Amino acid sequence: MSTDKGKDVGRRSPNEWRALSWVGLCLVVVGTVDLTMGLYPFDVGVPEWEYAAIADFLNRVPLLGLGLAFALAAALRRGLRRRALGWSTALLALGVAILVFGLLHATNLPLVMVTHGGGVLKMPLYKAMAKTGAQLLVYVPAFIGVGLYAGRSASRMRAA
């Protein structure tokens, strides 16, 4: 005979989702600071800086992405429509920013390869290009897709 005490076995209480929301918010703050400090000092227009800064930016994205995902999941689970729409919009914006940075990165590749692509730096540049390409192929559809899906889910919720 089953001894389950309730029908919602495995369902979490609102307090646990609230805790996940706070963890997500902390990761969003730290991730945002980390991303912006990685781009400082800004030297837009210098292809080498843009190439390195964008690669570094993509390496720092997971912390912010994880924070946004935690906060979004908690908002959806708790039925907080406006928060869920806000977090899903932030995920969409991050995905679009990554796409724009990826396009900028691609336009700098020929210049960087001509100036630094020979000799000892050839293999590290190829490895960096492969890693950046893989990150772009994963991050852009993931963040934009999750943002759209969660935004659609949130917009169907009753206003809370």
Side-chain angles (χ1 to χ4, degrees):
M1 195 167 246
S2 177
T3 59
D4 292 340
K5 293 187 178 187
K7 294 179 182 176
D8 284 337
V9 175
R11 186 175 179 171
R12 303 287 181 213
S13 73
N15 287 335
E16 290 165 325
W17 288 101
R18 187 172 290 121
L20 184 66
S21 181
W22 279 106
V23 169
L25 182 61
C26 290
L27 291 176
V28 165
V29 170
V30 171
T32 302
V33 170
D34 189 38
L35 282 178
T36 55
M37 290 296 111
L39 295 174
Y40 184 80
F42 300 104
D43 207 359
V44 177
V46 177
E48 291 84 3
W49 178 85
E50 289 177 356
Y51 181 83
I54 291 169
D56 188 47
F57 178 86
L58 292 173
N59 289 334
R60 295 169 185 247
V61 162
L63 186 62
L64 177 59
L66 188 61
L68 289 171
F70 282 176
L72 175 62
L76 285 170
R77 184 66 178 96
R78 292 172 61 204
L80 302 173
R81 181 177 184 262
R82 279 192 252 166
R83 278 192 203 169
L85 285 171
W87 293 125
S88 63
T89 302
L91 268 173
L92 277 170
L94 182 60
V96 170
I98 292 169
L99 179 62
V100 169
F101 283 158
L103 294 173
L104 182 61
H105 188 74
T107 61
N108 285 325
L109 281 177
L111 211 53
V112 171
M113 287 304 290
V114 166
T115 57
H116 301 294
V120 180
L121 293 178
K122 189 174 189 176
M123 187 52 70
L125 278 174
Y126 284 143
K127 287 170 70 176
M129 286 188 302
K131 181 179 179 182
T132 300
Q135 288 171 320
L136 289 169
L137 287 174
V138 171
Y139 292 158
V140 171
F143 289 139
I144 290 176
V146 169
L148 288 173
Y149 180 78
R152 220 175 305 134
S153 295
S155 65
R156 288 188 204 129
M157 285 183 197
R158 280 196 243 151

